[in-house]
Amino acid sequence: MQRQCSGQAPGEPEAEPGGEELCEQEMKRLCLSQQPVRVLPYAMMDKRFIRQLREPEGVKTSCWQQWRRRRQTAGRRLGEAARRLTRGCGLWEGALYEIGGLFGTGIQSYFTFLRFLLLLNLLTLLLTCSFVLLPLVWLRPPDPGPALNFTLQCPGSGHLPQTGVSKFNNLLWNVFTGRAFNNTCLFYGAYRAGPESSSTYSIRLAYLLSPLACLLLCFCGILRRMVKGLPQKMFLGQDYRSPLSAKVFSSWDFCIRGQEAATIKRHEISNEFKMELEEGRHLLLLQQQTRAQRACHLLTYLRVNILIGLLVVGAISAIFWATKYSQDNKEESLFLLLQYLPPGVIALVNFLGPLLFVFLVQLENYPPNTEVNLTLIWCVVLKLASLGMFSFSLGQTVLCIGRNKTSCESYGYNACDYQCWENSVGEELYKLSIFNFLLTVAFAFLVSLPRRMLVERFSGRFWVWLDREEFLVPKNVLDIVEGQTVTWMGLFYCPLLPLLNSIFIFLTFYIKKYTLLRNSRASPRRFRASSSIFFFQLVLLLGLLLAAVPLGYVVSSIRSSWDCGLFANYSAPWQVVPELVALWLPPPSQRILYYLGSHAFSFPLLILLSLVLTVCISQSQASSRAIRRLRKQLVWSRCPSCRHPAGQRTRPQGRGVLQASSGSPATDWSGGTGSPTHCRF
């Protein structure tokens, strides 16, 4: 064993004393360490040697240590079996593997994103059903009594306020507009509850906190996925590139036996090589640019982005006027078309916008990853701005934001036109969600499918130029993010909208898969999934914030409808929280809660968070410095002049790191036994 530790073989010179001391220190550290042997970064022979050092022959371990080791081994095996079972029974695993092999990880990331959104919607639906619907059915709260009778004083009208019932009484049309579900649990107005003092479970509090809890859980899930999806280059630096030879000689999976799996793996390796070569070509062109070329590139960048900004401003202006016109002309004979005028304009803007953005961004000749991400950023601005303008226009019409009306001054909302304004807002979001899905189905089977059939049927320059539709990842990602943002915006007005969106996402996966495999062609410009997943989650996070801000404003400041819903007798939905605090909690607990919501607690909390943020930034900077040092060590280990310095022996064959040299693993990279020889860079 001493020979193994010293690493001396017959006929070899003796090791230097410094290397012997390093070996003893390393062995002592490994023996005293509680880290499992299986996770140590050593060869299998070295791990066996370390295990022998920790458990010498003839020395018996205690029963407690044996039981703990067996428990850890059993838990590890059970966890690995559960992970294998989860991967085997996971949703769409086979389809994701096929898509990733045939079209690359970039397009595969879109379908993985669909699965993540489906899980978020199912989690939101589970929370809503557990805390609102099931208690409502189980407790069966008493009838709160007839609706409040009050007279609205509407200027210039001698009729009762419209209840929102359309003259077009066709049942199918009522389903598409949501009017058929006004008295169901799909919308806010159907929920009723008795006084808070008569029940041990507050349906009002559960209904109020469920959307907020869902948004918080979605925020945590998105943030966790963002951290996991950070690109590797953000940690290694932009100038770090993995060697292409490693992909050439170590990419193939020799466990593959089937012909289909081999074909998919061959396409996957080919896509990896294409991405590497494309990124290398763009990096070389960027390094060879002169100052004049960089100035011209900057001017082109400014010109293109200013043009895109003007297009975005025009698009959101069109959405604002379309929404305003649709809400102000509900009694016209064209009510049938005006119902879907705002969703139609939003869909038209979001259809033409990404196509124009892709065309304009390609003029700047960016690398594939940068091109996809820049297009995604502008599409995000367009999508979120369109939804924000749609929300503002609804608020201006329904809640009289920025407008002076007699009914708004008396009741806090436009009570003359919207007797139950929560249902009206829920119907608009319901129609927008329905319209987005119908547009996806129509575009897949009425545009992409006929286009593919015509291209395959006819020949000529025009049909060759037309070709199949290109599968644009940014456009598809933004479409699904828009639908998810609408779902989050409607959690308070339409609690079961996540169920509807889950069905839409499930069907969208198979529609998009069919479109990709049969009707579309993959983009010739490859990009990596690692650099796009982070942006996908960032877009989703921005959509979550866009949905949370109006919801927080409505819950805390807007007067609820007088004769429908759970909060008919409250000036704002949040007023139920102080009432329940005063009703259920003793005075000491009330004082504690009031202190937690006061400025006296907010300022120390802000100072504490600032200190924590400072510590995190310091740790991040220290980690960055450590990563730079490790990169230098990697370059040093690959330096030819340091690999076999003169006068030193090479590493023996057939031995581990610890058994083959007298130095520690960190000093064995140079191939010698003494202190490492450094290279100058």
Side-chain angles (χ1 to χ4, degrees):
M1 182 174 295
Q2 293 179 355
R3 169 179 288 183
Q4 289 178 347
C5 183
S6 62
Q8 295 181 7
E12 290 183 350
E14 294 183 358
E16 297 181 3
E20 186 73 24
E21 294 178 358
L22 291 175
C23 179
E24 292 178 358
Q25 295 177 1
E26 184 70 15
M27 290 296 103
K28 184 177 180 180
R29 185 186 67 83
L30 291 174
C31 291
L32 297 178
S33 176
Q34 299 295 329
Q35 193 175 11
V37 178
R38 63 187 303 271
V39 301
L40 295 176
Y42 296 109
M44 185 60 67
M45 186 177 297
D46 293 330
K47 291 182 178 180
R48 295 194 185 100
F49 181 60
I50 295 171
R51 188 180 297 277
Q52 291 176 3
L53 291 178
R54 290 185 178 181
E55 301 176 1
E57 296 181 0
V59 178
K60 296 182 178 180
T61 58
S62 62
C63 298
W64 166 255
Q65 292 179 350
Q66 293 179 1
W67 177 83
R68 188 175 62 177
R69 188 181 299 113
R70 286 195 297 267
R71 183 177 61 84
Q72 292 176 353
T73 303
R76 184 176 64 251
R77 292 177 179 175
L78 183 61
E80 292 176 353
R83 283 191 292 271
R84 287 195 301 267
L85 182 63
T86 303
R87 287 194 298 266
C89 301
L91 184 62
W92 302 326
E93 285 291 338
L96 291 175
Y97 177 77
E98 179 184 5
I99 293 171
L102 295 177
F103 301 98
T105 57
I107 294 180
Q108 182 192 26
S109 63
Y110 164 72
F111 292 91
T112 307
F113 187 62
L114 280 177
R115 183 175 63 178
F116 174 69
L117 290 183
L118 179 61
L119 296 178
L120 284 185
N121 282 275
L122 293 178
L123 177 62
T124 304
L125 180 64
L126 179 63
L127 289 176
T128 304
C129 293
S130 301
F131 293 101
V132 179
L133 292 181
L134 292 181
L136 193 65
V137 174
W138 178 263
L139 296 177
R140 294 188 180 183
D143 188 5
L148 296 175
N149 294 323
F150 58 93
T151 303
L152 296 177
Q153 298 178 357
C154 301
S157 61
H159 56 81
L160 293 174
Q162 59 175 343
T163 59
V165 180
S166 171
K167 295 179 180 180
F168 191 84
N169 292 321
N170 185 274
L171 179 60
L172 181 61
W173 179 253
N174 287 336
V175 170
F176 282 118
T177 58
R179 300 292 172 84
F181 308 107
N182 262 338
N183 297 323
T184 64
C185 293
L186 183 62
F187 291 106
Y188 163 87
Y191 291 85
R192 297 281 184 173
E196 293 299 331
S197 58
S198 62
S199 177
T200 57
Y201 184 84
S202 177
I203 298 294
R204 291 185 178 88
L205 185 62
Y207 189 93
L208 178 63
L209 296 183
S210 292
L212 303 180
C214 293
L215 293 179
L216 181 60
L217 289 178
C218 292
F219 175 79
C220 295
I222 295 170
L223 201 62
R224 179 177 177 272
R225 194 174 174 87
M226 282 181 65
V227 174
K228 290 179 62 178
L230 282 175
Q232 188 181 12
K233 288 186 178 181
M234 295 183 65
F235 296 100
L236 297 177
Q238 295 296 327
D239 55 341
Y240 178 81
R241 296 180 61 84
S242 58
L244 193 61
S245 59
K247 297 182 180 297
V248 173
F249 294 104
S250 62
S251 295
W252 185 256
D253 186 2
F254 289 93
C255 296
I256 294 177
R257 297 184 179 181
Q259 181 65 30
E260 183 179 359
T263 302
I264 294 176
K265 188 65 177 179
R266 186 167 61 249
H267 282 288
E268 180 181 351
I269 297 174
S270 175
N271 293 332
E272 285 287 333
F273 289 158
K274 290 177 183 178
M275 287 185 287
E276 285 284 346
L277 296 175
E278 186 74 11
E279 291 177 357
R281 184 179 69 85
H282 279 277
L283 183 62
L284 183 62
L285 292 177
L286 186 63
Q287 293 175 351
Q288 294 176 351
Q289 282 185 350
T290 61
R291 291 185 178 180
Q293 291 176 343
R294 291 178 182 176
C296 293
H297 183 74
L298 180 61
L299 292 177
T300 304
Y301 174 81
L302 293 176
R303 183 176 65 249
V304 169
N305 284 275
I306 289 174
L307 180 58
I308 293 177
L310 294 176
L311 291 176
V312 170
V313 172
I316 61 177
S317 301
I319 293 171
F320 172 77
W321 291 110
T323 307
K324 187 175 183 301
Y325 184 79
S326 174
Q327 296 296 322
D328 292 342
N329 296 274
K330 284 192 170 184
E331 297 298 330
E332 299 292 334
S333 58
L334 294 177
F335 177 79
L336 181 65
L337 298 178
L338 293 179
Q339 278 284 315
Y340 273 87
L341 180 61
V345 174
I346 292 175
L348 181 63
V349 165
N350 292 329
F351 171 72
L352 297 178
L355 298 179
L356 294 176
F357 295 165
V358 169
F359 173 74
L360 294 175
V361 170
Q362 285 180 353
L363 298 178
E364 303 177 25
N365 196 22
Y366 281 118
N369 292 334
T370 306
E371 179 181 319
V372 170
N373 294 332
L374 188 59
T375 306
L376 190 61
I377 289 173
W378 276 114
C379 292
V380 167
V381 173
L382 178 63
K383 292 277 187 178
L384 298 185
S386 61
L387 288 178
M389 184 56 65
F390 176 71
S391 301
F392 175 76
S393 181
L394 277 180
Q396 191 180 45
T397 306
V398 177
L399 304 177
C400 301
I401 298 178
R403 299 174 64 181
N404 294 324
K405 269 195 172 185
T406 305
S407 60
C408 294
E409 296 176 357
S410 304
Y411 308 105
Y413 63 97
N414 190 1
C416 291
D417 297 331
Y418 303 94
Q419 197 168 355
C420 186
W421 67 267
E422 290 90 351
N423 275 16
S424 299
V425 175
E427 288 173 7
E428 294 295 331
L429 297 175
Y430 172 86
K431 287 186 293 185
L432 191 58
S433 181
I434 290 285
F435 189 81
N436 288 337
F437 177 71
L438 293 179
L439 192 65
T440 300
V441 175
F443 192 82
F445 295 103
L446 300 181
V447 177
S448 299
L449 180 60
R451 179 177 175 178
R452 188 258 298 177
M453 297 176 65
L454 290 175
V455 168
E456 292 179 350
R457 177 66 176 81
F458 299 100
S459 60
R461 292 184 177 180
F462 173 76
W463 302 107
V464 172
W465 170 82
L466 183 62
D467 204 1
R468 295 186 179 187
E469 175 199 1
E470 183 178 346
F471 194 87
L472 300 176
V473 174
K475 176 182 177 300
N476 287 280
V477 167
L478 266 296
D479 289 340
I480 198 66
V481 168
E482 180 190 9
Q484 185 62 43
T485 305
V486 171
T487 301
W488 283 331
M489 293 171 65
L491 285 178
F492 184 77
Y493 317 103
C494 190
L496 295 185
L497 196 57
L499 174 61
L500 197 65
N501 196 41
S502 300
I503 298 174
F504 291 162
I505 291 176
F506 185 82
L507 297 177
T508 300
F509 182 91
Y510 292 100
I511 293 173
K512 291 297 182 180
K513 180 187 174 185
Y514 173 79
T515 303
L516 176 64
L517 297 178
R518 300 296 180 88
N519 301 333
S520 301
R521 57 184 174 88
S523 175
R525 304 171 65 84
R526 305 286 179 175
F527 61 94
R528 297 188 183 278
S530 60
S531 60
S532 297
I533 290 177
F534 176 79
F535 286 95
F536 293 170
Q537 306 303 321
L538 180 60
V539 171
L540 193 60
L541 185 62
L542 293 177
L544 179 64
L545 296 178
L546 178 65
V549 171
L551 178 60
Y553 175 72
V554 167
V555 166
S556 61
S557 305
I558 300 300
R559 180 68 171 85
S560 301
S561 298
W562 286 92
D563 62 341
C564 71
L566 294 170
F567 307 98
N569 299 324
Y570 294 89
S571 59
W574 188 256
Q575 294 300 319
V576 71
V577 177
E579 178 185 351
L580 291 176
V581 168
L583 186 62
W584 289 354
L585 296 181
S589 301
Q590 296 181 27
R591 286 193 294 269
I592 293 175
L593 287 180
Y594 290 146
Y595 173 74
L596 294 178
S598 63
H599 295 290
F601 177 77
S602 300
F603 286 114
L605 181 62
L606 182 61
I607 295 175
L608 179 61
L609 291 178
S610 301
L611 293 176
V612 172
L613 183 61
T614 303
V615 172
C616 292
I617 293 176
S618 301
Q619 290 181 351
S620 176
Q621 293 176 353
S623 300
S624 300
R625 290 192 295 269
I627 289 172
R628 287 195 294 269
R629 288 196 297 268
L630 290 174
R631 288 180 56 208
K632 290 181 180 180
Q633 291 180 5
L634 288 175
V635 175
W636 168 73
S637 66
R638 294 167 57 188
C639 180
S641 61
C642 302
R643 191 170 300 171
H644 302 291
Q648 295 185 3
R649 62 181 177 85
T650 59
R651 174 179 172 178
Q653 300 294 328
R655 295 178 179 266
V657 175
L658 296 176
Q659 301 179 14
S661 66
S662 59
S664 63
T667 61
D668 189 67
W669 291 351
S670 62
T673 60
S675 60
T677 303
H678 297 279
C679 291
R680 298 181 182 271
F681 300 101

